[in-house]
């Protein structure tokens, strides 16, 4: 999936930074490039610069600020993903409650990171995003589900289940609790099953929905009207 780096044939994850604060970009670059296998291939101070650089550098992951001069992060996300849907855009934000996060996700962003996150969290999230996994905390997943419920109610959307292999009653129960932001331990406690059994059900749910992680499962299930 990734390009092969020149050093020893090691695979590298290519990262593009998009933020209008040069000091923050410098800090992100320093943190990312300390991690083996991660390389920053460009820095953009505006959304339009990010779009241009994405075309020339072909990053695997774009760390995207939302509030930038000119073309904002949401529109830049759309423009980056239109010709290169394999790119993974992760929103950089200061506040968990940022209303624009939902718009960015609808534009195709894979998740979000707080600018105050630790170096370990940053690098872990970049690697996860490069693999196609959503970068979201359970509490944020719950808020996103609430927002999708609100939009669906307003638009009157009703979508029936169309899975080739339908979810069992237990799997659906696990999925509903997952969408509410519960951890595996909490799901097990509520359903009176072991955490290991929850993990097994979770694996089945992800497979049947055709997604890679919990967040994608919750969003996909909501789109299909399963929850």
């Amino acid at each position: 999936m990734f390009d092969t780096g020149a050093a020893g044939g090691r695979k590298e994850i290519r990262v593009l930074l998009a933020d209008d604060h040069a000091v923050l970009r410098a800090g992100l670059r320093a943190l990312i490039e300390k991690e083996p296998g991660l390389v920053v291939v460009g820095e953009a101070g505006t959304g339009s610069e990010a779009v241009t650089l994405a075309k020339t550098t072909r990053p695997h992951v774009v760390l995207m600020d939302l509030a930038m001069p000119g073309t904002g992060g949401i529109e830049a996300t759309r423009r980056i993903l239109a010709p290169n849907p394999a790119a993974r855009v992760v929103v950089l934000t200061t506040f968990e409650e940022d209303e624009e996060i939902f718009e960015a996700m609808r534009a195709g962003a894979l998740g979000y990171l707080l600018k105050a996150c630790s170096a370990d969290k940053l690098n872990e999230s970049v690697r996860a995003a490069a693999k196609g996994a959503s970068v979201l905390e359970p509490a944020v997943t719950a808020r996103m589900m609430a927002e999708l419920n609100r939009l669906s109610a307003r638009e009157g959307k009703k979508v029936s289940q169309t899975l080739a292999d339908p979810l069992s009653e237990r799997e659906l129960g696990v999925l509903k609790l997952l969408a509410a932001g519960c951890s595996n331990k909490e799901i097990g406690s509520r359903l009176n099953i072991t955490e290991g059994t929850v993990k097994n059900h979770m694996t089945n749910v992800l497979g049947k929905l055709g997604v890679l992680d919990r967040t994608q499962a919750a969003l996909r299930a909501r789109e299909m009207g399963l929850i």
Side-chain angles (χ1 to χ4, degrees), residues 178-197:
L178 175 158
C182 294
S183 66
N184 285 352
K185 184 176 182 180
E186 290 169 333
I187 293 173
S189 177
R190 294 195 186 190
L191 297 180
N192 197 29
I193 56 178
T194 67
E195 191 170 350
T197 300

Side-chain angles (χ1 to χ4, degrees), residues 1-5 10-14 58-61 84-89 110 126-133 212 216:
M1 179 178 179
F2 306 126
D3 297 335
T4 301
R10 184 173 61 195
K11 294 180 179 179
E12 292 182 329
I13 297 174
R14 300 162 59 82
R58 305 291 290 180
H60 299 116
V61 178
N84 183 20
R88 313 299 187 183
V89 177
L110 197 62
V126 168
R127 292 188 184 281
K131 295 177 182 177
L212 296 173
Q216 291 179 0

Side-chain angles (χ1 to χ4, degrees), residues 80-122:
I80 287 172
L81 294 177
N84 183 20
R88 313 299 187 183
V89 177
V90 176
V91 170
L92 287 173
T93 183
T94 305
F95 303 106
E96 292 183 19
E97 293 78 13
D98 194 334
E99 288 293 331
E100 291 187 323
I101 290 175
F102 299 115
E103 287 298 324
M105 300 298 283
R106 283 191 283 269
L110 197 62
Y112 90 98
L113 277 178
L114 291 176
K115 291 183 178 181
C117 72
S118 68
D120 287 344
K121 178 64 174 178
L122 173 70

